[in-house]
Amino acid sequence: MSGRAQLMWDEAVTRYDFGPDHPMDPVRLALTMRLVEAFGLDRELRVTSARAAGESTLRLVHRADYVDAVRRASADPASADGSYGLGTEDDPAFSGMHEASALIAGQSVGAAEAVWHGDVRHAVNFSGGLHHAMPGAAAGFCIYNDAALAIARLLELGAERVAYVDVDVHHGDGVQAAFWNDPRVLTVSLHEHPRTLFPQTGWPEETGGEGAEGSAVNVALPAGTTDDGWLRAFHAVVPEMLSAFRPQVLVTQHGADTHVEDPLAHLAVSLDAQRAVQAACHDLAHEHAEGRWIALGGGGYAVAEVVPRSWTHLVAIAAGRPIDPKAETPEDWRQEVYAKTRQLAPRRMTDGREPWWRDFEDGGYDPADRLDQAVLATRRAVFPAHGLLP
């Protein structure tokens, strides 16, 4: 297997654009790529583009009637009336929607193929991670579910065990739904509690369908969770689940909307904690999946302040050249941010935090702590199915 990493990028992914008043501003993708280039990371890994996902690939997850509906709405956005989730406030139709969505999906599928065939150990598609799209409907700013399509392609190529870890602030409901009855896929989602955030799913009791019991793992975090709780929850669930499941490939989704400054959610996580989880996912891929790691983007609506820095750290970790959090952001990039957004760019690659957490095993369980209650609820729901003690 090659030691090189691969970054999937095509400037045309920025055409995934719901309009000027929509939170999913494609400038976040362009600014991330410019920051990757400003740090010279594009010279540390292979930057390449894959073809847009074709009909047969899309149908690995999505129904034919839904793909047809996306094509129609893409050709005539005014015809979208809310059916199939298209033409809604969250997912307004736009011209070229099918092509842009299929291109993003193609990048994740291409990443999966490169990693499975051994061309590279790690592959990143930060334009992907569109985890809410369902087999027959758009949802939550997501048209085609590139994460699920990448996993489905891995299964088609012969993978027998694929683990998916989702640390977006929103529940990875579309990926869970796609593999609800498939014991070959372990889906783990850490997200804000469904009582307080879309899509109101991801309860710890959601553990997989018949014949796949224990294959869905959900950690529902209380609103206001900060770095120490977020990291405590991650390390209390994810490493043991991966050790028990023994994946051949690890697919991770790194939505940056857990950040304290994100306008659409209520967790209070720092950039530094996000970076710590990215590094942990890299290490877990080497520990449990022979280094096979596909890393995706996801949500994130602080489009200048947070998203580009978070995903540039992700690319740097995958490239084997992590960026010192204390490093200054390049001046040229800061000027680009101001030119595109009229916002002042952050000056450093850190929020000034030192990530730390109290280990769940060593630190003890506090029955009065809502974070500990959430962790224990998840462990009780799924650990016994894998022969683990809750």
Side-chain angles (χ1 to χ4, degrees):
M1 181 183 291
S2 168
R4 292 195 64 190
Q6 183 163 293
L7 174 61
M8 311 302 299
W9 177 253
D10 187 318
E11 208 73 33
V13 298
T14 60
R15 296 175 188 162
Y16 190 84
D17 187 353
F18 291 112
D21 298 321
H22 196 281
M24 190 78 133
D25 189 338
V27 74
R28 68 199 192 120
L29 303 178
L31 290 178
T32 299
M33 191 60 195
R34 301 295 85 81
L35 188 56
V36 165
E37 292 166 344
F39 275 106
L41 295 172
D42 54 324
R43 299 189 295 273
E44 301 292 330
L45 40 61
R46 180 189 304 166
V47 180
T48 189
S49 174
R51 291 179 298 175
E55 186 79 17
S56 62
T57 298
L58 293 171
R59 289 181 63 176
L60 291 174
V61 167
H62 294 290
R63 296 198 320 247
D65 60 317
Y66 173 61
V67 176
D68 289 343
V70 175
R71 289 183 185 276
R72 289 194 301 271
S74 181
D76 181 12
S79 69
D81 59 3
S83 59
Y84 294 98
L86 301 168
T88 63
E89 184 177 354
D90 276 2
D91 297 278
F94 61 92
S95 181
M97 179 172 64
H98 165 76
E99 291 77 11
S101 303
L103 182 62
I104 290 173
Q107 305 316 302
S108 293
V109 171
E113 291 171 345
V115 168
W116 182 254
H117 290 312
D119 300 334
V120 292
R121 283 184 181 274
H122 313 324
V124 180
N125 176 26
F126 58 74
S127 72
L130 305 179
H131 59 170
H132 294 308
M134 293 291 175
F141 313 162
C142 304
I143 306 300
Y144 293 139
N145 196 320
D146 65 283
L149 288 164
I151 294 168
R153 179 63 175 142
L154 289 167
L155 298 176
E156 187 179 51
L157 290 171
E160 297 174 347
R161 293 179 308 281
V162 180
Y164 172 75
V165 175
D166 187 319
V167 296
D168 193 287
V169 77
H170 302 91
H171 177 225
D173 57 340
V175 184
Q176 176 179 287
F179 302 105
W180 182 250
N181 295 308
D182 194 334
R184 298 173 297 172
V185 181
L186 175 73
T187 63
V188 185
S189 179
L190 285 82
H191 48 267
E192 185 179 328
H193 201 285
R195 283 198 194 95
T196 54
L197 194 66
F198 174 90
Q200 284 78 51
T201 58
W203 299 80
E205 296 79 15
E206 298 172 32
T207 60
E210 185 176 354
E213 295 85 353
S215 66
V217 183
N218 288 292
V219 188
L221 303 170
T225 295
T226 54
D227 287 1
D228 54 346
W230 194 63
L231 293 169
R232 178 171 166 82
F234 179 91
H235 288 282
V237 173
V238 176
E240 285 191 73
M241 289 304 308
L242 294 183
S243 178
F245 186 69
R246 299 179 298 109
Q248 295 163 297
V249 190
L250 178 62
V251 181
T252 57
Q253 196 267 21
H254 297 271
D257 44 8
T258 52
H259 196 273
V260 63
E261 295 188 21
D262 195 90
L264 298 189
H266 317 99
L267 296 192
V269 172
S270 73
L271 181 77
D272 302 285
Q274 291 178 345
R275 180 180 180 275
V277 161
Q278 294 164 2
C281 288
H282 168 268
D283 294 346
L284 288 166
H286 281 279
E287 184 175 351
H288 298 294
E290 298 182 1
R292 298 186 189 95
W293 182 34
I294 298 147
L296 309 174
Y301 310 100
V303 299
E305 176 67 25
V306 176
V307 175
R309 292 188 298 159
S310 185
W311 292 347
T312 297
H313 276 305
L314 178 65
V315 173
I317 289 165
R321 211 197 86 183
I323 296 169
D324 183 347
K326 296 177 183 177
E328 286 197 1
T329 54
E331 175 63 26
D332 288 352
W333 179 77
R334 294 200 294 268
Q335 292 177 5
E336 179 94 356
V337 170
Y338 187 76
K340 281 187 161 54
T341 68
R342 289 297 183 261
Q343 297 179 41
L344 294 177
R347 297 192 65 86
R348 294 192 181 276
M349 293 294 288
T350 178
D351 287 340
R353 307 279 183 86
E354 292 289 340
W356 175 88
W357 72 94
R358 190 167 48 94
D359 188 86
F360 197 80
E361 301 291 347
D362 299 334
Y365 164 67
D366 181 355
D369 185 277
R370 290 192 304 148
L371 187 282
D372 279 10
Q373 292 168 12
V375 169
L376 189 58
T378 299
R379 289 167 62 112
R380 282 176 170 164
V382 294
F383 271 33
H386 296 269
L388 302 171
L389 296 174

